[in-house]
Amino acid sequence: MRLRIKALLLFFLFVSGINSFAQQFNEHIVSPDKNITCNVYRNAGAGIFYTVSYKGKPVVVASELNIQLDNHWSEWTLAIKNKPGKDWMQDLQLKNAVRTTKDTTWAPLYGERKLIKDHYNNLTLQFEQKASSNYRMNIEIRVYNEGIALRYYFPDNPTGIYYRITADNTEFSFPEGTQAWFEPWAQGAFTKLPLKNWPSESEGPLTLELPNGLYAAVAEAQRVDFVKTRFTLASKPNTIKTLLYESVDKVPYFGTPWRVVMIGEQPGKLIENNFIFQNLNDPAKLTDVSYIKPGKIVRDLTLTEKGAKEWIDFAAAHNLQYVLFDWKWYGPAFTFDSDAGKVAIDLDLPEVIRYGKEKGVGIWLYVNQQALLKQDFEIFPIYKKWGIAGVKYGFVEVGSHRWTTWLHESVQRAANNGLMVNIHDEFRLTGEERTWPNMLTVEGIRGNEEMPDATHNVTLPFTRGLAGAGDYTICYYTNRIKTTHTHQLALGVVMYSPLQTLYWYDKASDYKNEPEIEFFDKLPTVWDDTKVLQGRAGEYIVTARKKGNDWFVGVMTNNSAREVEITFDFLDKGKTYSLSAYEDDDTVATKTKVKVTRDKVKQGKKRTVKLKASGGAAFWISPTK
């Protein structure tokens, strides 16, 4: 009898040991090109952690995956209510690990490149709560050649309950010595800081320089029916973590927004690879996209028929597609009492729309959030009837679940009425323009409304620029600009926006036949290919973009003068191209002091560009006929 009891005891101890060991795991997944490795693991009595390396170099060191729920009436909560310190993650039991792969290519309606490669390996870790199998959660990890993305996914729940997510404490621990481009708000200035002693939370994408020579960026993708995430310092050294704007109530099934870590050997690779955000969003849901036509836009500051027609004439002569009537055309903006379905000023809007149509120039209207919230259901059909091309949303609220969801639903209502959208103020894209391509551009950028200096401008592409389209509102003639005029020309290439605003603080009458304006005239706003040839955040950048057979190059420096040597390796071999160069020259007898020269260029040829402090240069390269 004693032997049988001893045997049974040993058996139960053995089984208990297996069960204990089963709660530990170590899974890994690599990128298609084998350069990136992500490990996900749990040790006995610890949380769930992950690491990321690139070609053997550490990028993300041991970092915890942690999300917190508070469903005070659930079986799970009742089961652990007398166990202080228990959280959602600690009682998760791994049930299965599913691996898949995807390798496709898709063509966006418009963008920074004609085709986008969507190639990743996926690991889905399926968990159940120990207290009740009714409560399940997956951790999904996608590893691309461009970086990794992870999220928490909640499958169907047989009880039909909702989940209240109170915190997302996903960590990103980096090697000691890592520096981040800290940005306190979406239209703020950047400061390069170590991962300690931050004055507040930072916006994303958050670009990082690692001591091992690599570059990274942490960001979020597919934030559509959720809350905004910012990044804050964790208590652990060299570690940042996600910080939700507020708690979120969601009914499964649903996933949190993707948490993204981009990786590059050069900072420009982060810009070239920013299509990862669109890959993490759903394909386009619009059946009619015929009205979505990217282009260049100017605004009429006079809000008069005469001023509008002057801009329409200028636009027709200079290959600009749109004119915007900015705020107050329908009355005071910051009130629910104005009616955005009526013109409240002395302006014959139907006549302006007719005249623009005759000249091939469309009209956009600014509408502030108060009027949108009150009236978008009724005014969007009116605008469609009027023949309006698009709506510029003003002063939208961002961050909360309510406003994030409302904004995306409003964009869908605009799409239902054939209207394009430009969202201004603090909002930034997270790749959802793939799903709703009528959302042409957004602000969320410290641009020429605030006149930043050149150092800020050469930081933007490596930071805010990773999030995609940014309406910088480029200026040219106003004496408020803090850069040279060629720097402003180059911004049209460097800062991507399918709806590119030009001449923001200018008047049509400012134009005095300056020859370099042909660069803006020829400039596309969407591209077949994009290459960042050189550059470092805060120092300088050289960006080349292709449309059809032509290339456009923008070169910008910070507040310091420098020389940059450009090698034209990106041109097709064996072809000869005509090169038009636009460079600063104080001897030129125009107000803008821009010299225009013509040359021939072939693949491999080099050109040294001398940049003034806060200066730039622009090139238009076209095959010879």
Side-chain angles (χ1 to χ4, degrees):
M1 178 65 72
R2 289 180 177 177
L3 289 174
R4 290 181 62 188
I5 293 174
K6 186 175 181 180
L8 285 170
L9 180 61
L10 289 172
F11 172 76
F12 284 122
L13 287 172
F14 175 72
V15 171
S16 175
I18 291 176
N19 289 338
S20 176
F21 180 76
Q23 307 318 310
Q24 302 179 47
F25 60 86
N26 192 336
E27 302 283 347
H28 80 278
I29 185 169
V30 300
S31 59
D33 63 7
K34 306 295 191 296
N35 287 334
I36 299 174
T37 299
C38 178
N39 290 302
V40 188
Y41 60 93
R42 178 163 63 186
N43 297 325
I48 300 172
F49 290 81
Y50 76 105
T51 62
V52 182
S53 63
Y54 179 86
K55 293 184 177 179
K57 293 182 178 181
V59 178
V60 179
V61 297
S63 301
E64 188 168 8
L65 297 171
N66 186 283
I67 191 167
Q68 292 300 308
L69 277 67
D70 179 19
N71 287 22
H72 62 277
W73 35 261
S74 70
E75 298 171 53
W76 168 72
T77 307
L78 293 173
I80 61 98
K81 67 179 181 179
N82 295 319
K83 299 178 182 179
K86 282 284 187 178
D87 64 31
W88 171 260
M89 303 296 292
Q90 288 179 342
D91 275 340
L92 287 176
Q93 311 294 299
L94 180 62
K95 295 298 180 181
N96 201 9
V98 179
R99 299 174 184 275
T100 57
T101 189
K102 181 178 180 180
D103 185 4
T104 60
T105 300
W106 60 282
L109 184 62
Y110 56 82
E112 297 180 75
R113 50 199 58 80
K114 190 173 184 178
L115 296 174
I116 291 179
K117 184 79 168 175
D118 189 6
H119 191 190
Y120 63 83
N121 293 323
N122 186 87
L123 171 64
T124 299
L125 301 177
Q126 300 174 342
F127 295 92
E128 289 181 359
Q129 273 294 330
K130 185 177 180 180
S132 172
S133 61
N134 285 337
Y135 299 94
R136 294 173 287 144
M137 186 187 80
N138 300 341
I139 295 178
E140 298 182 10
I141 300 169
R142 293 183 183 179
V143 185
Y144 297 80
N145 295 339
E146 299 80 30
I148 75 153
L150 58 89
R151 70 173 178 178
Y152 308 96
Y153 186 86
F154 296 84
D156 281 331
N157 189 312
T159 66
I161 67 166
Y162 74 92
Y163 289 102
R164 172 163 293 163
I165 299 174
T166 59
D168 180 344
N169 296 318
T170 303
E171 290 182 346
F172 307 86
S173 294
F174 291 95
E176 184 175 0
T178 296
Q179 300 249 310
W181 285 98
F182 172 87
E183 185 188 20
W185 65 88
Q187 296 181 66
F190 293 92
T191 308
K192 192 176 181 182
L193 296 176
L195 302 186
K196 61 181 179 180
N197 300 327
W198 286 5
S200 64
E201 302 87 32
S202 178
E203 290 288 329
L206 179 65
T207 301
L208 304 118
E209 298 182 17
L210 278 60
N212 55 20
L214 295 176
Y215 298 84
V218 293
E220 62 178 334
Q222 202 182 35
R223 186 190 70 237
V224 176
D225 185 14
F226 213 76
V227 299
K228 181 179 178 179
T229 293
R230 285 162 63 85
F231 297 99
T232 188
L233 292 176
S235 57
K236 188 163 63 176
N238 305 307
T239 301
I240 58 178
K241 67 176 182 177
T242 51
L243 180 67
L244 298 183
Y245 183 92
E246 63 183 3
S247 63
V248 186
D249 291 347
K250 294 276 290 183
V251 177
Y253 51 90
F254 70 92
T256 65
W258 293 94
R259 309 313 182 195
V260 181
V261 181
M262 301 178 69
I263 305 167
E265 293 182 298
Q266 298 86 34
K269 281 298 177 184
L270 301 179
I271 302 171
E272 292 182 4
N273 293 338
N274 67 359
F275 56 84
I276 190 173
F277 298 108
Q278 292 189 58
N279 279 337
L280 290 162
N281 279 262
D282 295 335
K285 295 183 178 180
L286 305 182
T287 55
D288 178 18
V289 296
S290 60
Y291 64 92
I292 301 176
K293 298 177 180 178
K296 292 166 283 189
I297 188 169
V298 295
R299 69 165 174 169
D300 171 45
L301 291 169
T302 69
L303 295 182
T304 65
E305 180 180 329
K306 178 178 181 294
K309 286 185 174 180
E310 287 177 353
W311 268 122
I312 289 171
D313 289 340
F314 181 90
H318 292 276
N319 191 30
L320 310 177
Q321 287 68 46
Y322 302 108
V323 171
L324 165 71
F325 281 104
D326 216 342
W327 72 336
K328 297 186 179 181
W329 66 268
Y330 61 89
F334 295 117
T335 175
F336 286 104
D337 296 329
S338 294
D339 184 353
K342 297 178 181 179
V343 180
I345 58 176
D346 185 15
L347 170 68
D348 188 347
L349 186 57
E351 168 57 20
V352 171
I353 295 170
R354 183 207 63 79
Y355 188 76
K357 185 175 182 180
E358 181 182 290
K359 296 279 189 172
V361 178
I363 302 299
W364 282 63
L365 297 176
Y366 175 101
V367 183
N368 213 57
Q369 175 157 332
Q370 281 87 344
L372 289 167
L373 181 63
K374 175 185 173 183
Q375 295 183 274
D376 69 356
F377 281 94
E378 61 186 80
I379 61 176
F380 287 172
I382 292 173
Y383 294 169
K384 180 179 181 180
K385 184 177 180 180
W386 287 354
I388 296 301
V391 178
K392 177 181 173 181
Y393 288 39
F395 288 98
V396 296
E397 296 289 333
V398 297
S400 72
H401 194 188
R402 178 198 179 188
W403 290 119
T404 302
T405 304
W406 172 85
L407 184 59
H408 288 88
E409 290 176 347
S410 182
V411 169
Q412 294 173 42
R413 288 190 284 275
N416 293 337
N417 289 280
L419 295 169
M420 294 177 283
V421 170
N422 175 5
I423 302 172
H424 255 238
D425 304 294
E426 293 285 296
F427 182 75
R428 289 181 176 177
L429 293 166
T430 60
E432 63 268 44
E433 69 272 26
R434 178 186 183 184
T435 311
W436 304 104
N438 66 313
M439 190 161 38
L440 276 188
T441 193
V442 303
E443 191 180 9
I445 189 171
R446 189 180 183 88
N448 265 350
E449 282 190 326
E450 298 166 280
M451 288 299 170
D453 65 9
T455 296
H456 175 85
N457 290 345
V458 295
T459 305
L460 279 176
F462 300 98
T463 52
R464 163 61 181 87
L466 304 185
D471 190 14
Y472 182 92
T473 57
I474 298 168
C475 296
Y476 201 68
Y477 290 105
T478 177
N479 59 10
R480 295 174 61 182
I481 60 175
K482 297 177 180 177
T483 70
T484 69
H485 288 83
T486 59
H487 189 102
Q488 297 293 315
L489 291 177
L491 277 166
V493 179
V494 174
M495 294 308 302
Y496 165 68
S497 182
L499 183 72
Q500 188 71 272
T501 301
L502 302 177
Y503 308 105
W504 178 249
Y505 283 119
D506 303 328
K507 304 183 298 294
S509 59
D510 290 332
Y511 172 63
K512 303 300 180 185
N513 297 310
E514 290 84 4
E516 75 272 12
I517 293 303
E518 71 175 10
F519 184 79
F520 277 157
D521 295 354
K522 298 291 183 181
L523 185 69
T525 66
V526 296
W527 307 95
D528 296 336
D529 195 12
T530 293
K531 298 181 182 296
V532 180
L533 306 181
Q534 300 178 49
R536 286 179 58 88
E539 297 181 17
Y540 76 106
I541 189 169
V542 183
T543 302
R545 300 191 193 263
K546 185 180 184 184
K547 181 66 174 178
N549 294 317
D550 290 4
W551 285 89
F552 293 79
V553 180
V555 187
M556 292 162 36
T557 184
N558 59 9
N559 296 339
S560 301
R562 75 180 67 240
E563 286 190 6
V564 176
E565 185 177 74
I566 301 174
T567 303
F568 295 96
D569 287 341
F570 52 88
L571 300 177
D572 291 343
K573 186 177 181 179
K575 287 186 178 181
T576 300
Y577 292 81
S578 297
L579 181 146
S580 298
Y582 311 87
E583 298 170 281
D584 294 311
D585 188 339
D586 290 337
T587 67
V588 174
T590 66
K591 181 174 67 174
T592 55
K593 304 295 183 184
V594 176
K595 175 178 65 177
V596 181
T597 58
R598 315 291 182 186
D599 200 356
K600 301 292 183 184
V601 65
K602 292 184 177 181
Q603 185 191 71
K605 185 175 180 180
K606 299 179 186 295
R607 184 185 180 103
T608 299
V609 184
K610 296 182 179 180
L611 302 171
K612 295 178 61 176
S614 303
F619 301 96
W620 167 38
I621 306 170
S622 185
T624 56
K625 297 180 180 179

